[in-house]
Amino acid sequence: RTVQYYIDNIRLADELGCPLMNVLTGHVLYGTSKDQAMKWTMDALRELVAEAEKTKFILGLHPQYIAESPLIITVDDALQMIKELDSSCVKIIYDTAQQNISYRNFMDDIRKAGKHLCYVHGADNDGVRWTHEALGKGSVDWEGIVRSLVEIGFSGYICTQSWSEL
C-alpha cells in the first residue's frame, strides 16, 4: 500500500506541475535485519523510479538521523542508493537540521552530493536535539553551506521549515 501511495502521489504531483517529491525510507520493524529492510526498500524504490521515469519526475532521497531511519543517514548512503538505482530521476534532498545531528560536515556533503542535489531543506538546531529552528537559531554553518552551494552551481530548491517542540 505504501508503494501505491507513493505512485499515486507521483502522478498527482506531476499533474499539478510539482517537479519533485521527498522520499523517506522509514523505520525498520523489530526483528527485521537491516539487509532485509534495505532489500525491500530498494525493491520499492525501483517501482517508484519506473513511475517517475515516465515523466522525468524527481524522487528526492532524504537522509535522516538514526532515530528516523537506519537505512539512509548520510549523503554517502543516498549516493550509494542512487548508484544502485541508476536513474537520473533520483536525487538528494539535504536536510540541514537532520544532518546537524547525524553528520555535521555540511560543505563536504554538499560537494559530494553535487549534481545529485535537488533540494535543500533549511532548518537549524543545536546539533543534539531534533528540532527545526529558524535559520541562525542553532549551530548550522550557514555561510559554509551557501558558499558550497554556490561552488557546485546549485540551481535547485531551497526551503526553510521552522518548528520546535519547545
Side-chain angles (χ1 to χ4, degrees), residues 17-81:
C18 176
L20 66 95
M21 179 170 58
N22 187 358
V23 178
L24 304 169
T25 56
H27 300 283
V28 174
L29 298 174
Y30 176 77
T32 304
S33 71
K34 186 175 177 181
D35 288 342
Q36 181 62 65
M38 184 59 84
K39 181 190 178 317
W40 288 336
T41 297
M42 293 304 289
D43 289 348
L45 286 172
R46 284 183 187 90
E47 288 186 55
L48 300 183
V49 165
E51 185 65 32
E53 286 180 336
K54 293 176 185 176
T55 60
K56 301 296 182 198
F57 188 80
I58 300 297
L59 301 172
L61 299 179
H62 186 156
Q64 300 169 282
Y65 78 108
I66 189 74
E68 293 262 305
S69 174
L71 300 180
I72 183 170
I73 299 169
T74 66
V75 165
D76 289 327
D77 295 335
L79 288 169
Q80 180 60 41
M81 293 170 97

Side-chain angles (χ1 to χ4, degrees), residues 22 62 93-98 117 119-124 132 135 142 157-163:
N22 187 358
H62 186 156
I93 290 178
Y94 191 76
D95 185 324
T96 59
Q98 295 216 9
L117 186 62
Y119 185 100
V120 176
H121 179 154
D124 215 326
H132 281 66
L135 306 187
W142 295 106
Y157 298 91
I158 300 175
C159 175
T160 62
Q161 178 188 20
S162 300
W163 60 267

Side-chain angles (χ1 to χ4, degrees), residues 55-144:
T55 60
K56 301 296 182 198
F57 188 80
I58 300 297
L59 301 172
L61 299 179
H62 186 156
Q64 300 169 282
Y65 78 108
I66 189 74
E68 293 262 305
S69 174
L71 300 180
I72 183 170
I73 299 169
T74 66
V75 165
D76 289 327
D77 295 335
L79 288 169
Q80 180 60 41
M81 293 170 97
I82 288 170
K83 182 179 177 183
E84 288 180 37
L85 292 165
D86 192 28
S87 171
S88 62
C89 292
V90 184
K91 303 285 185 188
I92 298 172
I93 290 178
Y94 191 76
D95 185 324
T96 59
Q98 295 216 9
Q99 291 308 298
N100 197 35
I101 295 170
S102 298
Y103 184 75
R104 293 184 187 165
N105 201 334
F106 304 113
M107 288 62 76
D108 280 353
D109 270 353
I110 289 167
R111 288 179 191 114
K112 279 193 270 184
K115 67 180 182 179
H116 299 292
L117 186 62
C118 67
Y119 185 100
V120 176
H121 179 154
D124 215 326
N125 60 35
D126 62 8
V128 177
R129 293 173 298 123
W130 185 65
T131 60
H132 281 66
E133 303 290 339
L135 306 187
K137 297 292 184 183
S139 60
V140 171
D141 179 4
W142 295 106
E143 287 183 26

